């Protein structure tokens, strides 16, 4: 294929990501798989998969304090009875949609860290996400906490991969940044067929390295598009159907995790993967929408965990799930909840010692209607850095109070 023709097509056709690929500025799935030949990963090295739930996941609708005084009065129609929850003990239970989480919990492979937050919380999605992604609660900085880890690890972007159209700030360091590998499928102009892209994916003798990399990207676009559409995931508009406002994140979590699983099974050099699920900003009609989102989360993560447990590399994977904040304790007038503070984090996988960690925030001792956090989120990050990425939390976070016994 004439490289001039290929480049002209990229620039003029409107293929998603085309201009970036022509400039050599995008990373592809094949670039990630190429790292399987590297010899820079110790045999016992673990892998972190970070799942961001955008919009503010309602922790009180995930891990439900059904027996606590004041719960039903505050939650009204959103409240679950003792018979509806999946009980963990006589005081708390999981949302009915989290059946797979309960199986992992019973198998001691799901840790629930309660009351996770930070001092002087902010109800803004963007400010709070800045804090979570930089791990700097006093004043969010210009680098992400995993970007700073990447700075210490050698800096190659493929050691930290995001399956997002745009690299999340958490993977941006001072001297390096992770790799954004767009996998949202193809958007072809009228009259252009997939076969055309396959032809463009063929290498041409003597072409410059960046153009050859762009050529490889075409083959990736075709193969990833087939994977996305064959995965039993949610439709592209699933977040709109869920009822949450648009605060970021994707709907195809199962498909993203399938890509992660393929990378892990191929023994790529990547130590960190970032994926997401959006739609959790449920200010109205929350109960059914939340259950639908949690069912999607449960099915995606349970299937991923079961798949990972079947291989040696997969048994070294740890998944961490977080959201930028929880919701208010009291329901609002629209059978939803507004922006709150502390929530839960979930850690799961074969290396995890399952159980309940941290103190359940009180429903009677509130901060102007909000839960008071009991676990600093940096404690969870410190644990992941120390016990998954073999890094010094103090160097990266300026904070080293890791949780004990979880990993």
């Amino acid at each position: 294929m004439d490289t001039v023709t290929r480049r002209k097509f990229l620039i003029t056709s409107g293929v998603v990501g085309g201009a970036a690929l022509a400039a050599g500025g995008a990373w592809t799935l094949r670039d990630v798989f190429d790292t399987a030949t590297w010899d820079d990963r110790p045999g016992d090295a673990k892998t972190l998969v970070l799942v961001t739930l955008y919009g503010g996941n309602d922790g009180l609708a995930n891990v439900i304090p059904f027996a606590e005084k004041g719960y039903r009065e505050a939650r009204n129609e959103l409240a679950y009875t003792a018979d509806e929850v999946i009980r963990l003990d006589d005081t708390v239970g999981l949302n009915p949609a989290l059946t797979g989480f309960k199986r992992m919990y019973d198998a001691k492979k799901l840790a629930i860290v309660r009351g996770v937050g930070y001092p002087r919380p902010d109800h803004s999605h963007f400010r709070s996400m800045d804090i979570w992604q930089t791990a700097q609660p006093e004043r969010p900085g210009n680098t992400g906490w995993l970007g700073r880890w990447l700075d210490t690890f050698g800096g190659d972007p493929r050691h930290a991969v995001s399956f997002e159209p745009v690299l999340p700030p958490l993977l941006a360091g001072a001297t390096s940044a992770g790799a954004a590998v767009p996998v949202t499928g193809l958007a072809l102009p009228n009259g252009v067929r997939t076969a055309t892209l396959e032809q463009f994916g063929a290498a041409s003798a003597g072409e410059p390295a960046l153009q050859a990399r762009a050529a490889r990207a075409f083959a990736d676009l075709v193969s990833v598009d087939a994977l996305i559409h064959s995965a039993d995931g949610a439709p592209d508009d699933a977040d709109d159907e869920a009822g949450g406002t648009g605060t970021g994140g994707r709907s195809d979590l199962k498909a993203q995790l399938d890509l992660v699983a393929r990378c892990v099974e191929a023994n790529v050099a990547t130590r960190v993967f970032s994926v997401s699920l959006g739609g959790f900003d449920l200010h109205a009609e929350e109960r059914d929408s939340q259950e639908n989102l949690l069912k999607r989360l449960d099915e995606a993560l349970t299937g991923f965990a079961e798949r990972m447990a079947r291989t040696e590399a997969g048994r070294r994977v740890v998944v961490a799930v977080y959201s930028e904040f929880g919701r208010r304790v009291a329901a609002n007038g629209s059978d939803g909840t507004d922006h709150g503070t502390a929530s839960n984090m979930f850690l799961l996988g074969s290396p995890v010692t399952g159980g309940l960690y941290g103190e359940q925030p009180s429903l009677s001792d509130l901060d102007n209607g909000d839960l008071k956090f009991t676990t600093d989120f940096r404690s969870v990050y410190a644990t992941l850095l120390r016990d998954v990425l073999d890094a010094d939390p103090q160097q990266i976070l300026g904070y080293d109070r890791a949780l004990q016994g979880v990993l």
Side-chain angles (χ1 to χ4, degrees):
M1 173 63 66
D2 184 338
T3 57
V4 175
T5 303
R6 181 197 296 140
R7 187 175 188 277
K8 182 177 179 181
F9 175 84
L10 276 167
I11 295 173
T12 61
S13 67
V15 175
V16 171
L21 294 174
W27 292 93
T28 72
L29 196 59
R30 188 172 302 186
D31 290 324
V32 178
F33 281 120
D34 284 346
T35 69
T37 62
W38 293 3
D39 189 23
D40 69 345
R41 183 185 178 104
D44 60 350
K46 297 184 181 70
T47 299
L48 172 64
V49 179
L50 191 67
V51 182
T52 303
L53 305 180
Y54 283 97
N57 181 30
D58 185 0
L60 291 175
N62 295 188
V63 183
I64 301 166
F66 64 88
E68 186 164 349
K69 183 179 179 180
Y71 164 71
R72 292 193 57 80
E73 291 78 5
R75 285 270 145 158
N76 298 323
E77 298 300 319
L78 298 182
Y80 289 87
T81 67
D83 293 331
E84 290 176 313
V85 303
I86 304 173
R87 291 194 181 207
L88 299 179
D89 58 27
D90 291 335
T91 61
V92 297
L94 293 174
N95 187 286
L98 296 175
T99 55
F101 274 35
K102 181 56 162 59
R103 292 197 302 272
M104 288 189 287
Y105 183 85
D106 289 344
K108 304 296 185 183
K109 297 305 175 188
L110 172 69
I112 301 170
V113 187
R114 299 176 291 181
V116 183
Y118 59 88
R120 295 180 293 282
D122 194 295
H123 288 152
S124 162
H125 289 291
F126 306 105
R127 175 74 173 181
S128 190
M129 189 54 72
D130 282 346
I131 289 170
W132 274 89
Q133 296 209 12
T134 65
Q136 295 171 313
E138 296 298 328
R139 179 180 296 177
N142 296 320
T143 59
W145 69 282
L146 287 170
R148 297 195 295 275
W149 163 79
L150 188 62
D151 287 341
T152 70
F153 195 71
D156 190 285
R158 288 167 289 181
H159 283 124
V161 170
S162 170
F163 291 128
E164 301 278 344
V166 178
L167 191 76
L170 67 92
L171 296 184
T175 60
S176 56
V181 180
V183 291
T184 52
L186 297 177
L188 296 176
N190 292 334
V192 178
R193 298 181 302 164
T194 300
T196 304
L197 292 189
E198 292 174 335
Q199 293 175 355
F200 283 157
S204 297
E207 66 181 335
L210 289 182
Q211 288 184 181
R213 180 169 147 194
R216 293 196 304 271
F218 282 109
D220 277 354
L221 283 170
V222 174
S223 61
V224 170
D225 184 67
L227 172 63
I228 294 296
H229 287 92
S230 65
D232 184 20
D236 290 341
D237 60 352
D239 288 339
D240 294 332
E241 292 177 356
T245 60
T247 53
R250 294 175 54 181
S251 61
D252 57 347
L253 179 61
K254 185 181 290 187
Q256 294 173 71
L257 289 173
D258 188 57
L259 291 172
V260 173
R262 292 179 181 220
C263 291
V264 171
E265 290 162 356
N267 290 306
V268 301
T270 307
R271 296 290 303 276
V272 174
F273 292 94
S274 174
V275 298
S276 68
L277 177 63
F280 286 89
D281 196 22
L282 297 167
H283 289 273
E285 305 297 334
E286 176 182 320
R287 181 162 165 155
D288 288 345
S289 295
Q290 178 83 1
E291 283 195 21
N292 288 335
L293 284 165
L294 293 179
K295 182 179 180 181
R296 196 182 312 162
L297 178 71
D298 181 88
E299 291 177 348
L301 286 177
T302 300
F304 177 75
E306 290 172 349
R307 179 173 175 176
M308 290 295 91
R310 295 196 290 266
T311 65
E312 183 178 352
R315 287 189 289 273
R316 294 193 295 271
V317 171
V318 174
V319 181
V321 185
Y322 80 101
S323 190
E324 68 261 40
F325 45 59
R327 314 296 289 188
R328 300 278 283 179
V329 172
N332 61 29
S334 301
D335 289 331
T337 52
D338 298 324
H339 301 175
T341 53
S343 190
N344 311 293
M345 284 189 69
F346 299 104
L347 305 180
L348 60 101
S350 295
V352 173
T353 302
L356 292 170
Y357 294 85
E359 180 184 351
Q360 181 71 30
S362 171
L363 297 185
S364 58
D365 181 20
L366 302 177
D367 180 9
N368 192 30
D370 283 325
L371 296 174
K372 294 180 179 179
F373 84 99
T374 58
T375 304
D376 193 304
F377 76 114
R378 292 170 296 178
S379 294
V380 185
Y381 286 179
T383 305
L384 298 173
L385 288 166
R386 183 191 67 187
D387 297 332
V388 179
L389 299 177
D390 304 310
D392 178 7
Q394 183 66 41
Q395 179 184 3
I396 294 165
L397 302 176
Y399 185 98
D400 61 1
R401 299 175 190 171
L403 302 174
Q404 300 301 316
V406 183
L407 292 167

